[in-house]
Amino acid sequence: MYASFRSIGAYIPEEIRSNEWFVNRMDTTDEWITKRTGINERRIASTDENTSDLGAKASKIAIERAGLENSEIDLIICATISPDYLCMPSTACLIADKLGIKNIMAFDISAACTGFIYALQIAQAFIQSGIKKNVLIIGAEKLSSIIDYTDRTTCMLFGDGAGAAVISATDNKDEAITDIQCSADGSFKDLLLTPGVQSEEASFMQMKGNETFKIAVRTLTNDVKKLMEKNKFENKDVDLFIPHQANYRIIKAVGDALKFEDEQKVLTVDKYGNTSSASIPMAINDCYENGKLKSGDMMLLDAFGGGLTWGSALVKFAGK
Ligand code: ACO
């Protein structure tokens, strides 16, 4: 049995927060934010929308586009660093409830911005082992709830949103996900963290942006090269290069080092900012909705985030 990427969906919160919002509240400029990050605006969830609401809305679209009923989903994995509740219940359980799905396995994973690629590989393993048939994977974040809006070096980077995909079993090798690789190195734990229950500090995200930036460029470039070589892929075999949307300069540096053409590179950071685990599925959904992603297209995904974690994947889009 093979795992195939059946469908994509996303939920983009309505409120648009422009760079001007930050300029009016702290010592920064539109020019600094645009030049250093490539971000013009980001979306912010409303006060009555939690991460599980964003995730459930994206999931409904993904399940519908997969041509399935909610009852046919047999596993839900939600990647998030901004869960509704600190430890329990998991956001995946809440999403299952919002979708009216009962009596299946549902759990969260914490791999920061690499969460969607981690979830993808877990889904693939459950399917290839024959244990599950239709796995719903979600990247959902209400990062605005864990951002310190007095920290000008970090707060303007992040936004809210959710993306979801259905990964299904198939016996057709042509539809299968080609390869996924995920890694972590906890010795870099201090670069990006959210103080936990043992801490006196507020649970806001903290980031050493500049150090993270340099490691991100190096690690992502090497990781993608390794994946491409292992699978004997050349750039022309990739239709869309869809990196985690953290910073335009990181995407450009990695894209240039890997020599991808501009038409292959997908960029959404300008309008959504960094939405952590939601950024890749939101970007895939954008390509799907604007006709850039078609059935049979080969996507190259890559991500990097707190942990540190990183990962990349060569995934054929098996949706309609
Ligand atoms: N407005 C104006 N000036 C600012 C601002 C601001 N908002 N923030 C910082 N500065 C100043 C700094 O104080 C510094 O001033 P100095 O030179 O006088 O000391 C100067 O700008 C440069 O600061 P740097 O931190 O070196 O700026 P850099 O070019 O590295 O950009 C940024 C900062 C955008 C955060 C960048 O480092 C970045 O994007 N890092 C990577 C983020 C990332 O990929 N994270 C991983 C994923 S996130 C996750 O896992 C949840």
Side-chain angles (χ1 to χ4, degrees):
M1 206 41 92
Y2 303 101
S4 66
F5 196 104
R6 275 284 145 212
S7 69
I8 189 73
Y11 175 69
I12 318 293
E14 256 172 55
E15 186 190 328
I16 297 175
R17 184 167 288 177
S18 69
N19 291 345
E20 217 41 46
W21 188 93
F22 297 87
V23 174
N24 291 336
R25 284 165 180 81
M26 60 197 75
D27 183 17
T28 191
T29 60
D30 178 41
E31 197 206 348
W32 191 96
I33 301 174
T34 314
K35 221 168 124 190
R36 297 275 175 154
T37 71
I39 301 169
N40 298 320
E41 58 191 37
R42 63 294 284 146
R43 296 300 179 110
I44 302 295
S46 64
T47 43
D48 57 359
E49 279 178 323
N50 286 319
T51 297
S52 66
D53 298 303
L54 312 184
K57 285 175 188 169
S59 299
K60 271 185 198 157
I61 299 169
I63 296 171
E64 206 177 286
R65 285 181 183 162
L68 296 175
E69 298 294 329
N70 289 5
S71 56
E72 291 174 274
I73 297 295
D74 53 9
L75 169 62
I76 299 179
I77 307 169
C78 180
T80 185
I81 52 166
S82 48
D84 292 21
Y85 293 91
L86 193 56
C87 298
M88 59 183 174
S90 72
T91 306
C93 283
L94 303 173
I95 292 172
D97 184 46
K98 285 175 178 155
L99 296 174
I101 302 176
K102 286 190 196 304
N103 304 321
I104 64 158
M105 187 182 196
F107 62 90
D108 287 0
I109 57 162
S110 169
C113 304
T114 320
F116 187 76
I117 297 180
Y118 268 55
L120 188 60
Q121 189 161 41
I122 298 168
Q124 183 195 40
F126 267 102
I127 287 169
Q128 285 179 353
S129 61
I131 299 174
K132 304 289 178 192
K133 282 198 173 64
N134 294 305
V135 184
L136 173 67
I137 61 169
I138 305 147
E141 305 285 4
K142 187 177 179 179
L143 296 176
S144 57
S145 63
I146 59 163
I147 297 298
D148 176 0
Y149 282 102
T150 64
D151 175 5
R152 71 169 185 156
T153 64
T154 305
C155 67
M156 75 301 169
L157 294 173
F158 296 97
D160 301 335
V166 174
I167 314 302
S168 292
T170 178
D171 51 13
N172 181 358
K173 199 176 177 199
D174 279 351
E175 294 184 331
I177 291 170
T178 305
D179 200 6
I180 308 167
Q181 59 189 19
C182 293
S183 301
D185 184 344
S187 66
F188 291 105
K189 60 187 180 303
D190 296 334
L191 290 187
L192 258 158
L193 60 85
T194 319
V197 283
Q198 81 289 0
S199 168
E200 299 285 300
E201 294 172 74
S203 289
F204 290 136
M205 190 195 301
Q206 299 169 10
M207 180 171 76
K208 292 182 181 151
N210 194 274
E211 275 174 73
T212 308
F213 186 103
K214 288 175 201 152
I215 299 173
V217 172
R218 199 174 57 233
T219 308
L220 286 173
T221 308
N222 293 341
D223 200 52
V224 170
K225 276 187 185 159
K226 214 168 80 187
L227 184 75
M228 298 276 283
E229 273 166 28
K230 183 179 158 208
N231 290 283
K232 301 190 171 50
F233 263 59
E234 292 176 28
N235 283 16
K236 65 174 172 43
D237 302 318
V238 171
D239 294 296
L240 294 172
F241 171 51
I242 310 179
H244 168 51
Q245 306 286 315
N247 182 317
Y248 170 70
R249 283 156 57 220
I250 296 179
I251 297 171
K252 181 160 173 26
V254 175
D256 287 353
L258 295 169
K259 300 191 170 63
F260 280 110
E261 305 291 335
D262 282 347
E263 312 84 74
Q264 290 171 295
K265 292 181 220 159
V266 173
L267 204 71
T268 58
V269 72
D270 53 331
K271 54 183 183 176
Y272 301 144
N274 181 347
T275 55
S276 194
S277 67
S279 100
I280 287 182
M282 282 167 72
I284 298 174
N285 184 71
D286 249 48
C287 295
Y288 179 77
E289 290 190 354
N290 65 28
K292 222 174 148 183
L293 174 67
K294 292 174 293 301
S295 190
D297 278 354
M298 181 58 69
M299 304 182 283
L300 169 61
L301 316 179
D302 85 52
F304 181 92
L308 292 178
T309 59
W310 62 94
S312 50
L314 283 165
V315 183
K316 190 178 269 189
F317 182 62
K320 292 205 177 72

